[in-house]
Structures are given as structure tokens and as C-alpha cells.
């Protein structure tokens, strides 16, 4: 009885999810979680070797996955990703925009190139992917759901990560605007804001002083584990469980934002 209910609410059998940036730490965990819930997962990103091995990990655990390369900085590449998904699987129900880069320097030292690189990947990349997929989802009978990845820094600007914080604030703003735009057109948009999860893009930033500060300001007094993003992702992406959730910003941060708000 409970199992039937949970399957109906959170099961993703027969649905197709594209996770851009699934070659990374958080995107990889979300991709594996969606596959465990039954979705066919398109693992996407720049790094073919890591993407292929993530897709293999999913299939060898009994899930359904395929790697399709894409660069979120290229409109053409994203259109090819969408078209290949449709050709291969016939539908796209979910998109997770998990590609991202970071940069950590004092404000005076930010170069134009670095500022642009972070804004381009985190903000423009998210926008281009939404633009590539939302109209297709809207045209499908079953609609679709898009999950963009923000950060606690979107609303609590963090020292040394100026471009990153600004890009994540803009991602959340864009997500809410698209939620409004597509609210009656079958596509839901939400932002998932992770707290602190050690990964590649922030390894250089996490020196001892910063680690102590972060843990000291996280009520649960620890970093997150990537798998801890899966539950909230499924809730926001599932058309059954999340049917009336759009334009939401959901924090998975061990209480970090609760300390300040
Ligand atoms: N790790 C954290 O604590 C944390 C916290 C908040 C938000 N985030 C966000 O979560 C997302 C995932 O980050 P992560 O921690 O897993 O980092 P990660 O570096 O492990 O993964 C990022 C992935 O994005 C891919 N990527 C970069 N540029 C790309 C492009 N142009 N096209 C396609 N793919 C591209 C990289 O190849 C990499 O696989 C990012 O948006 C990041 O800002 C991370």
C-alpha cells in the first residue's frame, strides 16, 4: 500500500531526465538518484570520459542511462543534445542544469576573463539550456520540469566569490521569471540551492579557515553529502509530487541559511 503510493508520487519510470553537468560531483549524484527512481537518464557534460563512466555506473547498477556530450556555452550543442534525446528516447520530461564553475579571489583581483567565464557558464549556460528545452517540454502532452542549481551564495553573498554569488542570484531570478512565463504552459521551474558539498569546483576555495567558518555557521555542523540532494530533486522534478511547485527556491544546506535569515 505505502509502496504503491510512494511509487505513484515519486517514481519516475518511463520518464526521461537530462542532467547537464552530470560528469560532476553533485550532478552525478542527482543523475544516479533519478535513475534509481526509475528515470532514463541522459548524462551530459563536457567531459566524455567521466560522463561515459557515470552512465556505465548507472547501467551496471540496473538503471537506464546514456552519455550525450554537450557544452552549455553553445546553443548549437544544446540543440543537438535535445534533438538526440528526442531521437533516442522520444521525450524529455526533466532537465537539471548542474554545470557550473567557480572562482575565488579578492574583489580587486578579478580579471575580466574570469568574471565572464563564471557568468557565462553559470548564468548564460543555464539560460541557453532552458531556452533549448522549455519549448519542447511545453509542446509535449505531459509537459516537463526544469531544475536549476543555485547556491546559498545567491542570497547570502560570500567573500571572495563575487562573480559566482552574482551568477547564482541571477539564476534564481531567471528561474522564477521562467516559472511565471511557463506556469500555464506545462513546464515547472525551480531552483535547488545546495549549501556546502566538497567538490571539484570549490576544492581550491575550501582552505582551513573557510572550512572552520562554514562548519561553524552550519547548524548541522558538517558538509553535505551529494546524495543528500536527491530527495529534494525528485520532489521538485516529479510531476506527481511537485505538480503545484513552481518558482520555488529550496535550500539543502544543513540549516546554513537559517542562521542568517
Ligand atoms: N559543491 C558545492 O558545495 C556546491 C554548492 C552550491 C552550488 N553548487 C553548484 O552545483 C553545480 C555542480 O557543482 P559541483 O560541486 O558538482 O562541481 P563539479 O565541478 O564537480 O561539477 C561541475 C560540472 O560542470 C561541468 N561543466 C563546466 N562547464 C561546462 C560547460 N560549459 N558545459 C557542460 N558542462 C560543464 C564540469 O565538467 C563538471 O562536470 C554547480 O552549478 C555549482 O555551482 C555546488
Amino acid at each position: 500500500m505505502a509502496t504503491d503510493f510512494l511509487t505513484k508520487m515519486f517514481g519516475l519510470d518511463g520518464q526521461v531526465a537530462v542532467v547537464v553537468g552530470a560528469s560532476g560531483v553533485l550532478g552525478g549524484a542527482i543523475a544516479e538518484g533519478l535513475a534509481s527512481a526509475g528515470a532514463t537518464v541522459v548524462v551530459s557534460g563536457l567531459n566524455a570520459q567521466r560522463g561515459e563512466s557515470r552512465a556505465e555506473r548507472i547501467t551496471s547498477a540496473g538503471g537506464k542511462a546514456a552519455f550525450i556530450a554537450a557544452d552549455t556555452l553553445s546553443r548549437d550543442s544544446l540543440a543537438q543534445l535535445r534533438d538526440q534525446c528526442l531521437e533516442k528516447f522520444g521525450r524529455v520530461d526533466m532537465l537539471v542544469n548542474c554545470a557550473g564553475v567557480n572562482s575565488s579571489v579578492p574583489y580587486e583581483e578579478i580579471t575580466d576573463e574570469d568574471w565572464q567565464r563564471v557568468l557565462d557558464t553559470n548564468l548564460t549556460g543555464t539560460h541557453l539550456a532552458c531556452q533549448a528545452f522549455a519549448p519542447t517540454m511545453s509542446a509535449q502532452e505531459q509537459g516537463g520540469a526544469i531544475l536549476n542549481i543555485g547556491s546559498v551564495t545567491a542570497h547570502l553573498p560570500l567573500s571572495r566569490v563575487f562573480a559566482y554569488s552574482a551568477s547564482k542570484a541571477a539564476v534564481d531570478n531567471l528561474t522564477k521569471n521562467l516559472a511565471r512565463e511557463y506556469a500555464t504552459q506545462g513546464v515547472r521551474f525551480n531552483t535547488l540551492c545546495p549549501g556546502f558539498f566538497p567538490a571539484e569546483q570549490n576544492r581550491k576555495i575550501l582552505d582551513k579557515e573557510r572550512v572552520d567558518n562554514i562548519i561553524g555557521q552550519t547548524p548541522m555542523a558538517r558538509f553535505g553529502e551529494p546524495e543528500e540532494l536527491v530527495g529534494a530533486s525528485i520532489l521538485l522534478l516529479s510531476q506527481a509530487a511537485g505538480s503545484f511547485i513552481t518558482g520555488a527556491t529550496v535550500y539543502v544546506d544543513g540549516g546554513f541559511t537559517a542562521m542568517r535569515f
Side-chain angles (χ1 to χ4, degrees):
M1 172 76 172
T3 311
D4 286 353
F5 173 75
L6 291 175
T7 303
K8 209 168 146 198
M9 271 301 199
F10 301 107
L12 302 175
D13 273 334
Q15 297 185 40
V16 176
V18 177
V19 182
V20 182
S23 45
V25 175
L26 302 191
I30 293 171
E32 289 187 17
L34 297 178
S36 298
T40 297
V41 176
V42 175
V43 171
S44 188
L46 283 178
N47 188 317
Q49 200 186 357
R50 270 195 261 148
E52 300 274 13
S53 80
R54 181 70 70 176
E56 268 165 39
R57 233 172 99 100
I58 293 173
T59 48
S60 59
K64 297 180 270 308
F67 172 72
I68 301 178
D71 179 354
T72 55
L73 297 175
S74 158
R75 190 186 291 284
D76 288 349
S77 169
L78 289 163
Q80 278 171 27
L81 170 64
R82 178 202 57 217
D83 294 346
Q84 284 180 47
C85 289
L86 292 174
E87 207 175 295
K88 221 169 156 75
F89 304 111
R91 58 193 283 163
V92 180
D93 301 276
M94 297 162 264
L95 169 69
V96 184
N97 283 314
C98 225
V101 293
N102 207 336
S103 141
S104 169
V105 285
Y107 187 64
E108 297 72 21
E109 294 173 23
I110 303 170
T111 62
D112 292 348
E113 291 72 24
D114 223 23
W115 177 269
Q116 207 53 54
R117 178 182 69 90
V118 174
L119 268 287
D120 282 350
T121 307
N122 296 1
L123 174 60
T124 309
T126 298
H127 147 64
L128 290 176
C130 289
Q131 210 179 37
F133 281 85
T136 299
M137 288 178 168
S138 181
Q140 297 177 142
E141 202 185 327
Q142 79 277 12
I146 295 182
L147 184 60
N148 291 330
I149 306 299
S151 160
V152 292
T153 65
H155 308 104
L156 294 173
L158 209 63
S159 63
R160 297 180 69 93
V161 289
F162 296 92
Y164 182 82
S165 301
S167 73
K168 293 299 188 179
V171 163
D172 195 39
N173 182 289
L174 175 69
T175 306
K176 289 186 190 318
N177 212 346
L178 290 173
R180 177 201 54 73
E181 187 76 9
Y182 280 88
T184 57
Q185 295 181 57
V187 189
R188 297 181 298 104
F189 291 79
N190 293 292
T191 312
L192 182 71
C193 287
F196 296 89
F197 296 71
E200 277 160 52
Q201 51 94 18
N202 60 10
R203 190 163 294 144
K204 279 189 235 144
I205 298 165
L206 294 173
D207 56 35
K208 176 157 177 5
E209 190 189 349
R210 207 156 176 91
V211 167
D212 290 346
N213 280 337
I214 289 167
I215 301 296
Q217 288 179 55
T218 301
M220 292 182 85
R222 64 173 176 85
F223 285 118
E225 297 293 336
E227 298 71 31
E228 292 180 298
L229 294 173
V230 171
S233 300
I234 293 177
L235 168 65
L236 296 171
L237 288 165
S238 158
Q239 293 292 39
S243 55
F244 201 48
I245 309 177
T246 198
T249 305
V250 173
Y251 295 95
V252 179
D253 65 355
F256 184 85
T257 42
M259 293 282 276
R260 309 270 190 97
F261 284 158

